[in-house]
Amino acid sequence: AALAGQVMAAWKADGLQAVLDSIDDGLLMIDRQGRLEHLNPVAQRQLGWEESRLGQGLGEALQRPELDEQLYLVLRGGTLERAPDDLSIEIDGETRLLTYSLTPVSHTKGHIVGAVMVLHDVTEQRAFERVRSEFVLRASHELRTPVTGMHMAFRLLQERVHFAPDSREKDL
C-alpha cells in the first residue's frame, strides 16, 4: 500500500509537470520567498533563457526589480491596481513584447504558498495595433485636408454670394 501511494504521488507529480509543460503560454512558478521554482519550456523560449534561473528571485532573473514589489503584493494576498505594462524582452536582436499576470497560489487551508506568473507573447498583436493606428491617423489626415479646403471655399462662397433665404441654393 505504501509503494502504491508513492507510485501514485510520483504519477501525480509527473502528470502535473507534463500539464504545466504543455501549456501554450509561458508559466513561471514562484515560491513564498519570491524565488523561481519552475518554468515551462514556453517561458524559457519567450524569455530567451538558455540556462536555468531556478532559485533566483523573480526581479533578479528577469532583470526587473520592480516586479518584486508586484510579486510581494500578490504573495501578501493583494491585487495589482492596474494591468502591468508589457515586458520588453530582447532575444537574438529581436524585441518581443509579453503581457503577464501574477496570481497567488493558495494551499487547501487558505494560506498563500507561492505565485504563478503567466506570460503571453503579444508582439504581433502590438505591431498590428501600431499599423492600424498609423493607418487611421494618415487616412484621417488625408481626408481632413481636402475637406478643410472645400469647407473654406464654401464659406467664402456663402459670404460673397447671397441667395434667397428659402432657396435650395441657400440650403445647400
Side-chain angles (χ1 to χ4, degrees), residues 125-168:
Q125 179 183 346
R126 296 294 189 256
F128 174 75
E129 290 170 0
R130 190 172 45 257
V131 167
R132 183 183 65 188
S133 177
E134 287 174 12
F135 172 78
V136 169
L137 185 66
R138 288 183 182 172
S140 65
H141 175 75
E142 293 299 323
L143 288 173
R144 199 176 302 129
T145 302
V147 169
T148 301
M150 291 185 324
H151 180 71
M152 290 173 58
F154 289 134
R155 284 267 185 217
L156 187 59
L157 180 65
Q158 192 176 26
E159 289 175 8
R160 302 223 173 153
V161 179
H162 299 287
F163 297 106
D166 57 346
S167 70
R168 179 153 170 77

Short mmCIF file of all heavy atoms in Angstrom, two decimals, residues 125-168:
data_model
loop_
_atom_site.label_atom_id
_atom_site.label_comp_id
_atom_site.label_asym_id
_atom_site.label_seq_id
_atom_site.Cartn_x
_atom_site.Cartn_y
_atom_site.Cartn_z
N GLN A 125 0.48 41.17 -32.12
CA GLN A 125 -0.74 41.94 -31.84
C GLN A 125 -0.41 43.42 -31.69
O GLN A 125 -1.11 44.27 -32.24
CB GLN A 125 -1.39 41.40 -30.58
CG GLN A 125 -2.65 42.14 -30.18
CD GLN A 125 -3.21 41.60 -28.86
OE1 GLN A 125 -2.84 40.55 -28.38
NE2 GLN A 125 -4.11 42.37 -28.28
N ARG A 126 0.66 43.75 -30.95
CA ARG A 126 1.04 45.15 -30.77
C ARG A 126 1.49 45.77 -32.09
O ARG A 126 1.20 46.94 -32.37
CB ARG A 126 2.15 45.29 -29.73
CG ARG A 126 1.76 44.85 -28.33
CD ARG A 126 0.70 45.76 -27.73
NE ARG A 126 0.49 45.46 -26.33
CZ ARG A 126 -0.54 44.79 -25.85
NH1 ARG A 126 -1.49 44.35 -26.66
NH2 ARG A 126 -0.67 44.56 -24.56
N ALA A 127 2.18 45.00 -32.93
CA ALA A 127 2.60 45.51 -34.24
C ALA A 127 1.38 45.81 -35.10
O ALA A 127 1.31 46.85 -35.77
CB ALA A 127 3.51 44.50 -34.94
N PHE A 128 0.38 44.93 -35.08
CA PHE A 128 -0.85 45.16 -35.84
C PHE A 128 -1.57 46.41 -35.32
O PHE A 128 -2.03 47.24 -36.12
CB PHE A 128 -1.78 43.94 -35.74
CG PHE A 128 -3.11 44.16 -36.37
CD1 PHE A 128 -3.26 44.16 -37.75
CD2 PHE A 128 -4.23 44.41 -35.59
CE1 PHE A 128 -4.49 44.39 -38.34
CE2 PHE A 128 -5.47 44.64 -36.17
CZ PHE A 128 -5.59 44.63 -37.54
N GLU A 129 -1.65 46.56 -34.01
CA GLU A 129 -2.30 47.74 -33.43
C GLU A 129 -1.59 49.02 -33.85
O GLU A 129 -2.24 50.02 -34.14
CB GLU A 129 -2.34 47.63 -31.90
CG GLU A 129 -3.28 46.57 -31.39
CD GLU A 129 -3.12 46.30 -29.90
OE1 GLU A 129 -2.26 46.93 -29.24
OE2 GLU A 129 -3.86 45.43 -29.40
N ARG A 130 -0.26 48.97 -33.89
CA ARG A 130 0.52 50.15 -34.29
C ARG A 130 0.25 50.49 -35.76
O ARG A 130 0.02 51.65 -36.11
CB ARG A 130 2.01 49.90 -34.04
CG ARG A 130 2.87 51.11 -34.20
CD ARG A 130 4.32 50.88 -33.77
NE ARG A 130 4.92 49.65 -34.23
CZ ARG A 130 5.12 48.56 -33.48
NH1 ARG A 130 4.76 48.55 -32.22
NH2 ARG A 130 5.69 47.48 -33.98
N VAL A 131 0.24 49.48 -36.64
CA VAL A 131 -0.02 49.71 -38.06
C VAL A 131 -1.43 50.25 -38.26
O VAL A 131 -1.65 51.20 -39.02
CB VAL A 131 0.19 48.41 -38.87
CG1 VAL A 131 -0.37 48.53 -40.28
CG2 VAL A 131 1.67 48.04 -38.90
N ARG A 132 -2.39 49.68 -37.54
CA ARG A 132 -3.79 50.14 -37.66
C ARG A 132 -3.91 51.59 -37.20
O ARG A 132 -4.56 52.41 -37.85
CB ARG A 132 -4.70 49.24 -36.83
CG ARG A 132 -6.17 49.62 -36.97
CD ARG A 132 -7.04 48.79 -36.10
NE ARG A 132 -6.68 49.09 -34.71
CZ ARG A 132 -7.13 48.43 -33.67
NH1 ARG A 132 -7.91 47.40 -33.83
NH2 ARG A 132 -6.77 48.78 -32.45
N SER A 133 -3.27 51.93 -36.10
CA SER A 133 -3.33 53.28 -35.58
C SER A 133 -2.70 54.27 -36.57
O SER A 133 -3.26 55.36 -36.81
CB SER A 133 -2.60 53.34 -34.24
OG SER A 133 -2.57 54.63 -33.75
N GLU A 134 -1.56 53.90 -37.13
CA GLU A 134 -0.91 54.77 -38.12
C GLU A 134 -1.79 54.95 -39.35
O GLU A 134 -1.89 56.05 -39.90
CB GLU A 134 0.45 54.20 -38.52
CG GLU A 134 1.50 54.34 -37.45
CD GLU A 134 2.80 53.64 -37.81
OE1 GLU A 134 2.98 53.24 -38.98
OE2 GLU A 134 3.64 53.48 -36.91
N PHE A 135 -2.45 53.87 -39.79
CA PHE A 135 -3.34 53.96 -40.95
C PHE A 135 -4.49 54.91 -40.68
O PHE A 135 -4.80 55.77 -41.51
CB PHE A 135 -3.88 52.57 -41.31
CG PHE A 135 -4.94 52.62 -42.38
CD1 PHE A 135 -4.59 52.79 -43.71
CD2 PHE A 135 -6.28 52.53 -42.05
CE1 PHE A 135 -5.56 52.86 -44.70
CE2 PHE A 135 -7.26 52.60 -43.02
CZ PHE A 135 -6.90 52.76 -44.35
N VAL A 136 -5.12 54.77 -39.53
CA VAL A 136 -6.25 55.65 -39.19
C VAL A 136 -5.79 57.10 -39.11
O VAL A 136 -6.46 58.00 -39.61
CB VAL A 136 -6.91 55.20 -37.86
CG1 VAL A 136 -7.89 56.23 -37.35
CG2 VAL A 136 -7.60 53.85 -38.04
N LEU A 137 -4.63 57.32 -38.51
CA LEU A 137 -4.09 58.68 -38.41
C LEU A 137 -3.84 59.28 -39.78
O LEU A 137 -4.25 60.42 -40.07
CB LEU A 137 -2.80 58.66 -37.59
CG LEU A 137 -2.17 60.01 -37.28
CD1 LEU A 137 -3.10 60.81 -36.36
CD2 LEU A 137 -0.81 59.81 -36.63
N ARG A 138 -3.20 58.52 -40.66
CA ARG A 138 -2.91 59.03 -42.00
C ARG A 138 -4.18 59.20 -42.84
O ARG A 138 -4.32 60.19 -43.56
CB ARG A 138 -1.94 58.09 -42.73
CG ARG A 138 -0.55 58.19 -42.17
CD ARG A 138 0.41 57.33 -42.91
NE ARG A 138 1.72 57.44 -42.29
CZ ARG A 138 2.75 56.71 -42.59
NH1 ARG A 138 2.63 55.79 -43.53
NH2 ARG A 138 3.89 56.87 -41.98
N ALA A 139 -5.09 58.24 -42.75
CA ALA A 139 -6.33 58.34 -43.52
C ALA A 139 -7.13 59.56 -43.08
O ALA A 139 -7.65 60.30 -43.91
CB ALA A 139 -7.16 57.08 -43.36
N SER A 140 -7.22 59.79 -41.77
CA SER A 140 -7.99 60.95 -41.30
C SER A 140 -7.31 62.25 -41.72
O SER A 140 -7.99 63.21 -42.09
CB SER A 140 -8.18 60.90 -39.78
OG SER A 140 -6.94 61.02 -39.12
N HIS A 141 -5.99 62.27 -41.72
CA HIS A 141 -5.26 63.46 -42.18
C HIS A 141 -5.52 63.69 -43.67
O HIS A 141 -5.79 64.83 -44.10
CB HIS A 141 -3.76 63.31 -41.92
CG HIS A 141 -2.96 64.44 -42.49
ND1 HIS A 141 -2.94 65.69 -41.91
CD2 HIS A 141 -2.18 64.53 -43.59
CE1 HIS A 141 -2.17 66.49 -42.62
NE2 HIS A 141 -1.69 65.81 -43.65
N GLU A 142 -5.42 62.63 -44.46
CA GLU A 142 -5.62 62.75 -45.91
C GLU A 142 -7.05 63.19 -46.24
O GLU A 142 -7.26 63.91 -47.21
CB GLU A 142 -5.29 61.43 -46.61
CG GLU A 142 -3.83 61.06 -46.55
CD GLU A 142 -2.92 62.09 -47.23
OE1 GLU A 142 -3.30 62.65 -48.27
OE2 GLU A 142 -1.82 62.33 -46.68
N LEU A 143 -8.02 62.76 -45.45
CA LEU A 143 -9.40 63.18 -45.70
C LEU A 143 -9.65 64.59 -45.19
O LEU A 143 -10.39 65.36 -45.80
CB LEU A 143 -10.38 62.22 -45.03
CG LEU A 143 -10.49 60.85 -45.68
CD1 LEU A 143 -11.35 59.94 -44.81
CD2 LEU A 143 -11.10 60.96 -47.07
N ARG A 144 -9.05 64.93 -44.06
CA ARG A 144 -9.28 66.23 -43.45
C ARG A 144 -8.75 67.36 -44.34
O ARG A 144 -9.35 68.42 -44.42
CB ARG A 144 -8.60 66.26 -42.08
CG ARG A 144 -9.15 67.34 -41.19
CD ARG A 144 -8.54 67.31 -39.79
NE ARG A 144 -8.73 66.04 -39.13
CZ ARG A 144 -7.77 65.33 -38.55
NH1 ARG A 144 -6.54 65.78 -38.55
NH2 ARG A 144 -8.03 64.19 -37.96
N THR A 145 -7.62 67.15 -45.00
CA THR A 145 -7.01 68.22 -45.80
C THR A 145 -7.94 68.71 -46.91
O THR A 145 -8.23 69.90 -46.99
CB THR A 145 -5.65 67.74 -46.36
OG1 THR A 145 -4.83 67.38 -45.25
CG2 THR A 145 -4.98 68.82 -47.17
N PRO A 146 -8.45 67.83 -47.79
CA PRO A 146 -9.35 68.34 -48.83
C PRO A 146 -10.69 68.83 -48.28
O PRO A 146 -11.26 69.80 -48.79
CB PRO A 146 -9.56 67.15 -49.77
CG PRO A 146 -9.10 65.95 -49.04
CD PRO A 146 -8.16 66.41 -47.98
N VAL A 147 -11.18 68.21 -47.24
CA VAL A 147 -12.46 68.65 -46.67
C VAL A 147 -12.32 70.05 -46.09
O VAL A 147 -13.21 70.89 -46.25
CB VAL A 147 -12.95 67.63 -45.60
CG1 VAL A 147 -14.12 68.19 -44.81
CG2 VAL A 147 -13.33 66.32 -46.25
N THR A 148 -11.21 70.32 -45.44
CA THR A 148 -10.97 71.66 -44.89
C THR A 148 -10.93 72.69 -46.01
O THR A 148 -11.52 73.77 -45.89
CB THR A 148 -9.65 71.68 -44.08
OG1 THR A 148 -9.75 70.73 -43.02
CG2 THR A 148 -9.39 73.06 -43.50
N GLY A 149 -10.25 72.37 -47.09
CA GLY A 149 -10.19 73.28 -48.24
C GLY A 149 -11.57 73.54 -48.83
O GLY A 149 -11.91 74.69 -49.15
N MET A 150 -12.36 72.49 -48.99
CA MET A 150 -13.72 72.67 -49.53
C MET A 150 -14.58 73.48 -48.57
O MET A 150 -15.35 74.35 -48.99
CB MET A 150 -14.37 71.31 -49.79
CG MET A 150 -13.73 70.56 -50.95
SD MET A 150 -14.52 69.00 -51.44
CE MET A 150 -15.07 68.28 -49.96
N HIS A 151 -14.43 73.21 -47.27
CA HIS A 151 -15.21 73.94 -46.28
C HIS A 151 -14.89 75.44 -46.35
O HIS A 151 -15.80 76.29 -46.33
CB HIS A 151 -14.90 73.39 -44.88
CG HIS A 151 -15.65 74.06 -43.78
ND1 HIS A 151 -17.00 73.89 -43.60
CD2 HIS A 151 -15.24 74.93 -42.81
CE1 HIS A 151 -17.39 74.61 -42.57
NE2 HIS A 151 -16.33 75.25 -42.07
N MET A 152 -13.62 75.78 -46.49
CA MET A 152 -13.23 77.19 -46.58
C MET A 152 -13.78 77.81 -47.87
O MET A 152 -14.27 78.96 -47.86
CB MET A 152 -11.71 77.32 -46.54
CG MET A 152 -11.14 76.99 -45.15
SD MET A 152 -9.33 76.92 -45.08
CE MET A 152 -8.87 78.53 -45.65
N ALA A 153 -13.73 77.06 -48.97
CA ALA A 153 -14.25 77.59 -50.24
C ALA A 153 -15.75 77.85 -50.15
O ALA A 153 -16.24 78.87 -50.62
CB ALA A 153 -13.92 76.62 -51.37
N PHE A 154 -16.48 76.94 -49.51
CA PHE A 154 -17.93 77.13 -49.38
C PHE A 154 -18.26 78.30 -48.46
O PHE A 154 -19.22 79.04 -48.70
CB PHE A 154 -18.61 75.84 -48.89
CG PHE A 154 -18.64 74.75 -49.92
CD1 PHE A 154 -18.28 73.45 -49.59
CD2 PHE A 154 -19.03 75.00 -51.23
CE1 PHE A 154 -18.31 72.44 -50.53
CE2 PHE A 154 -19.06 74.00 -52.18
CZ PHE A 154 -18.69 72.71 -51.83
N ARG A 155 -17.48 78.49 -47.41
CA ARG A 155 -17.70 79.63 -46.52
C ARG A 155 -17.49 80.94 -47.28
O ARG A 155 -18.25 81.89 -47.13
CB ARG A 155 -16.71 79.58 -45.34
CG ARG A 155 -17.07 78.60 -44.31
CD ARG A 155 -17.89 79.30 -43.25
NE ARG A 155 -18.13 78.34 -42.18
CZ ARG A 155 -19.25 78.29 -41.53
NH1 ARG A 155 -20.21 79.14 -41.79
NH2 ARG A 155 -19.42 77.41 -40.60
N LEU A 156 -16.42 80.96 -48.07
CA LEU A 156 -16.14 82.15 -48.88
C LEU A 156 -17.28 82.40 -49.87
O LEU A 156 -17.74 83.53 -50.03
CB LEU A 156 -14.80 81.96 -49.62
CG LEU A 156 -14.27 83.17 -50.38
CD1 LEU A 156 -14.06 84.36 -49.45
CD2 LEU A 156 -12.97 82.82 -51.08
N LEU A 157 -17.74 81.35 -50.52
CA LEU A 157 -18.85 81.47 -51.47
C LEU A 157 -20.10 81.98 -50.74
O LEU A 157 -20.80 82.86 -51.25
CB LEU A 157 -19.12 80.10 -52.13
CG LEU A 157 -20.26 80.06 -53.13
CD1 LEU A 157 -19.93 80.91 -54.36
CD2 LEU A 157 -20.54 78.63 -53.55
N GLN A 158 -20.34 81.45 -49.56
CA GLN A 158 -21.52 81.85 -48.80
C GLN A 158 -21.45 83.33 -48.40
O GLN A 158 -22.46 84.01 -48.37
CB GLN A 158 -21.60 80.97 -47.54
CG GLN A 158 -22.91 81.06 -46.81
CD GLN A 158 -22.94 80.08 -45.64
OE1 GLN A 158 -21.90 79.71 -45.10
NE2 GLN A 158 -24.14 79.66 -45.28
N GLU A 159 -20.25 83.82 -48.10
CA GLU A 159 -20.09 85.22 -47.74
C GLU A 159 -20.28 86.14 -48.94
O GLU A 159 -20.78 87.26 -48.79
CB GLU A 159 -18.69 85.47 -47.15
CG GLU A 159 -18.50 84.88 -45.78
CD GLU A 159 -17.06 85.05 -45.30
OE1 GLU A 159 -16.27 85.75 -45.96
OE2 GLU A 159 -16.74 84.44 -44.25
N ARG A 160 -19.86 85.71 -50.12
CA ARG A 160 -19.87 86.59 -51.30
C ARG A 160 -21.14 86.50 -52.13
O ARG A 160 -21.46 87.44 -52.84
CB ARG A 160 -18.68 86.25 -52.18
CG ARG A 160 -17.39 86.42 -51.40
CD ARG A 160 -16.38 87.08 -52.18
NE ARG A 160 -15.22 87.36 -51.33
CZ ARG A 160 -14.02 87.47 -51.77
NH1 ARG A 160 -13.79 87.33 -53.04
NH2 ARG A 160 -13.05 87.75 -50.95
N VAL A 161 -21.79 85.37 -52.11
CA VAL A 161 -23.00 85.20 -52.94
C VAL A 161 -24.20 85.12 -52.01
O VAL A 161 -24.19 84.36 -51.05
CB VAL A 161 -22.88 83.92 -53.80
CG1 VAL A 161 -24.12 83.73 -54.64
CG2 VAL A 161 -21.64 83.96 -54.67
N HIS A 162 -25.21 85.90 -52.31
CA HIS A 162 -26.41 85.91 -51.47
C HIS A 162 -27.53 85.21 -52.20
O HIS A 162 -27.82 85.50 -53.36
CB HIS A 162 -26.80 87.35 -51.13
CG HIS A 162 -25.72 88.06 -50.36
ND1 HIS A 162 -25.47 87.77 -49.04
CD2 HIS A 162 -24.82 89.02 -50.71
CE1 HIS A 162 -24.47 88.52 -48.63
NE2 HIS A 162 -24.05 89.29 -49.63
N PHE A 163 -28.15 84.27 -51.52
CA PHE A 163 -29.28 83.53 -52.07
C PHE A 163 -30.52 83.89 -51.27
O PHE A 163 -30.42 84.31 -50.11
CB PHE A 163 -29.03 82.02 -51.99
CG PHE A 163 -27.83 81.55 -52.79
CD1 PHE A 163 -26.66 81.18 -52.14
CD2 PHE A 163 -27.88 81.47 -54.18
CE1 PHE A 163 -25.56 80.74 -52.87
CE2 PHE A 163 -26.79 81.04 -54.88
CZ PHE A 163 -25.62 80.66 -54.25
N ALA A 164 -31.66 83.66 -51.88
CA ALA A 164 -32.92 83.89 -51.17
C ALA A 164 -32.96 82.94 -49.95
O ALA A 164 -32.54 81.81 -50.04
CB ALA A 164 -34.09 83.62 -52.09
N PRO A 165 -33.46 83.45 -48.80
CA PRO A 165 -33.43 82.66 -47.57
C PRO A 165 -34.09 81.28 -47.68
O PRO A 165 -33.65 80.34 -47.04
CB PRO A 165 -34.18 83.53 -46.56
CG PRO A 165 -34.15 84.90 -47.11
CD PRO A 165 -34.03 84.78 -48.60
N ASP A 166 -35.14 81.14 -48.49
CA ASP A 166 -35.82 79.85 -48.58
C ASP A 166 -35.47 79.07 -49.87
O ASP A 166 -36.13 78.12 -50.22
CB ASP A 166 -37.33 80.05 -48.50
CG ASP A 166 -37.84 80.99 -49.58
OD1 ASP A 166 -37.01 81.68 -50.21
OD2 ASP A 166 -39.07 81.02 -49.79
N SER A 167 -34.38 79.46 -50.52
CA SER A 167 -33.99 78.78 -51.78
C SER A 167 -33.21 77.50 -51.51
O SER A 167 -32.59 77.34 -50.46
CB SER A 167 -33.16 79.72 -52.64
OG SER A 167 -31.90 79.92 -52.05
N ARG A 168 -33.23 76.63 -52.48
CA ARG A 168 -32.46 75.37 -52.40
C ARG A 168 -30.96 75.67 -52.36
O ARG A 168 -30.21 74.99 -51.65
CB ARG A 168 -32.82 74.50 -53.60
CG ARG A 168 -32.05 73.19 -53.63
CD ARG A 168 -32.82 72.11 -54.35
NE ARG A 168 -32.04 70.92 -54.60
CZ ARG A 168 -31.74 69.99 -53.70
NH1 ARG A 168 -32.18 70.14 -52.47
NH2 ARG A 168 -31.05 68.92 -54.02
#
